[in-house]
Amino acid sequence: MQSTRKPTMELGIWLPMYGGWLRSLDQPTGPDIASCLAIAQQSEALGFDFLYASENLLNCIHGPGEAVAEAWSLLTAIAATTSKVGLVGAIKPGFRSPFLVARMVDTLRQIAGRPVAINIVCGWWREEFDLSGVPWLDHTGRYERAESFLRSLHRVYQPPRPAANQVSDGTATSARLHAPVNYGLDADALPQIWISGHSEDALRMSGEWANCLFLNGMTDAALKRHVAAARQSAMRWGREVSVGINAYVIATETRAQAEARYREVITQRNTESIEYFRDVMLNSGSVAWEGLSDEQLVDSNAGFEARLIGSFEDVRNRLRELRGIGVEKVVFQFDDPMRDAGPFMKNVIRPLREEFAAEAADELEHDAAPVGAGRSQPARAY
């Protein structure tokens, strides 16, 4: 049964794999690896819950002529130089086999000394597939490939038991030979699975396989529909799934400062880049990109739709609203994480964490109270 308690919120930073996050004329157009490593270390010191590294082999913000950081190489360096912050990396089925991914994740987990999660992204840029020698499939075909990938990944970590006619004769050697082959992988180390997408295929697949459905920015009405649909899909499998969203943050001391920065971004939008990617996205058949305006396409994942633009108080209030809708994870993008993440943690996240912790304590106290001692009795059925 779905819990009636408000969800906790896990809050992380999306590493700037492609340079600046905005298709804007004032943004850097390629990644700075040293800055990514510094952002990771700062994020851990500040107390963010996780870091997310997306996987695109072409620069999906500034165009195919620009450089991009490779997600799993970067995560490996971060794993070796941090000790607590969570690590989430994107995987695009077809580009790596499930067995290779299992080895990658297991190795990274051992380097990091903590679990690693993966986000399944089905891809939308045909040129990336063609350059990589990966067959380009239509939207449904890409999700079917992803589902096959997840099924194989589970079998690698949790192999089936041997058939009845392959039972052990009781000797130690025979028992070892006929035990399920786990390839040296710990079955309990199967990574948490995120799945990205807005379509019916994504919702169906997340219900069966995902720990988290990861969404781009969208209206509150659409977000509510997706939260409800994701929960319903998971219930069919006797599971629960959380919902995470991407959000671009412009949080300052005053609302006027934040709105001025937003207007500046929109004024300086790179229309050539926006039109190029609009064509690429429309040709992909991806549901997530349908009907987006130029303003929405300034951010690579419609992050302005989360409406985290305003004073620190405005943004705190907005995160409360998102939590009330059912959002349990938020992946933040900033103009400049090294400059912006510290004030954001101090003025937004820490006060909210204190508030949520107090709320959770009150709920626990209420649940522990006997009926008649401040706890309401259930209605009697007649």
Side-chain angles (χ1 to χ4, degrees):
M1 183 177 9
Q2 189 74 34
S3 172
T4 57
R5 291 183 181 177
K6 289 182 180 179
T8 58
M9 292 191 88
E10 295 182 31
L11 307 172
I13 289 183
W14 196 328
L15 292 163
M17 315 291 292
Y18 318 103
W21 281 116
L22 303 177
R23 298 185 179 110
S24 176
L25 297 173
D26 65 351
Q27 293 280 294
T29 58
D32 182 333
I33 302 301
S35 291
C36 287
L37 295 175
I39 290 164
Q41 293 170 350
Q42 181 195 49
S43 299
E44 176 169 87
L46 290 171
F48 282 90
D49 293 306
F50 62 88
L51 298 164
Y52 174 56
S54 49
E55 179 174 68
N56 286 291
L57 303 182
L58 294 174
N59 194 312
C60 60
I61 299 175
H62 305 292
E66 302 295 339
V68 60
E70 197 282 312
W72 290 88
S73 301
L74 183 60
L75 284 174
T76 301
I78 291 170
T81 54
T82 57
S83 61
K84 296 181 297 183
V85 67
L87 303 175
V88 186
I91 290 289
K92 204 166 286 175
F95 287 70
R96 296 182 175 94
S97 73
F99 190 43
L100 174 59
V101 168
R103 286 288 183 229
M104 289 166 47
V105 170
D106 187 59
T107 300
L108 187 58
R109 178 181 65 86
Q110 294 183 59
I111 294 170
R114 55 198 186 273
V116 176
I118 64 174
N119 179 34
I120 300 298
V121 292
C122 293
W124 50 269
W125 196 346
R126 179 166 185 164
E127 186 176 359
E128 181 184 41
F129 285 74
D130 292 343
L131 287 168
S132 302
V134 178
W136 172 256
L137 307 175
D138 64 13
H139 179 273
T140 297
R142 298 197 296 277
Y143 275 91
E144 289 174 347
R145 176 164 53 198
E147 192 163 8
S148 176
F149 174 95
L150 286 170
R151 191 172 291 110
S152 296
L153 184 69
H154 274 71
R155 280 200 299 264
V156 169
Y157 274 95
Q158 300 170 348
R161 300 203 62 82
N165 63 353
Q166 295 178 317
V167 297
S168 165
D169 64 10
T171 67
T173 300
S174 178
R176 185 173 66 253
L177 291 174
H178 290 93
V181 179
N182 66 2
Y183 311 106
L185 297 167
D186 182 352
D188 294 331
L190 178 72
Q192 281 216 346
I193 305 296
W194 296 23
I195 291 174
S196 288
H198 295 189
S199 67
E200 290 298 322
D201 290 319
L203 289 166
R204 175 186 52 77
M205 194 166 75
S206 69
E208 183 176 1
W209 299 104
N211 302 101
C212 174
L213 173 66
F214 185 32
L215 303 170
N216 288 342
M218 58 179 65
T219 65
D220 282 6
L223 183 56
K224 290 174 183 177
R225 289 194 298 270
H226 279 77
V227 169
R231 290 174 175 172
Q232 185 176 26
S233 179
M235 284 177 63
R236 296 191 185 104
W237 294 92
R239 306 177 62 252
E240 292 188 0
V241 62
S242 64
V243 172
I245 64 167
N246 162 70
Y248 198 91
V249 177
I250 304 177
T252 55
E253 290 289 345
T254 69
R255 184 181 303 172
Q257 290 172 325
E259 290 176 346
R261 171 55 185 155
Y262 175 71
R263 288 193 297 272
E264 181 183 10
V265 166
I266 297 304
T267 300
Q268 297 202 40
R269 64 185 180 272
N270 188 330
T271 56
E272 182 179 352
S273 178
I274 288 169
E275 287 307 311
Y276 173 81
F277 280 105
R278 185 187 299 283
D279 288 342
V280 172
M281 292 167 183
L282 288 175
N283 291 332
S284 75
S286 177
V287 173
W289 310 117
E290 290 180 348
L292 296 182
S293 67
D294 282 6
E295 288 78 8
Q296 289 170 312
L297 283 171
V298 170
D299 177 76
S300 59
N301 293 83
F304 292 141
E305 293 299 291
R307 295 179 14 226
L308 296 185
I309 300 171
S311 69
F312 294 127
E313 182 180 4
D314 292 334
V315 173
R316 285 197 304 271
N317 290 336
R318 178 57 182 158
L319 284 170
R320 290 189 194 98
E321 291 177 356
L322 290 170
R323 181 176 179 241
I325 290 171
V327 172
E328 297 180 53
K329 293 180 173 64
V330 185
V331 188
F332 299 117
Q333 298 170 337
F334 295 98
D335 262 1
D336 180 349
M338 291 298 292
R339 179 195 67 203
D340 300 335
F344 187 73
M345 174 60 73
K346 176 182 177 182
N347 295 288
V348 177
I349 296 180
R350 285 180 188 150
L352 283 178
R353 283 179 174 168
E354 292 173 2
E355 176 184 318
F356 295 163
E359 183 181 277
D362 288 345
E363 288 180 346
L364 286 172
E365 183 178 351
H366 177 270
D367 289 348
V371 173
R375 184 179 176 187
S376 59
Q377 299 185 46
R380 180 179 295 177
Y382 291 95

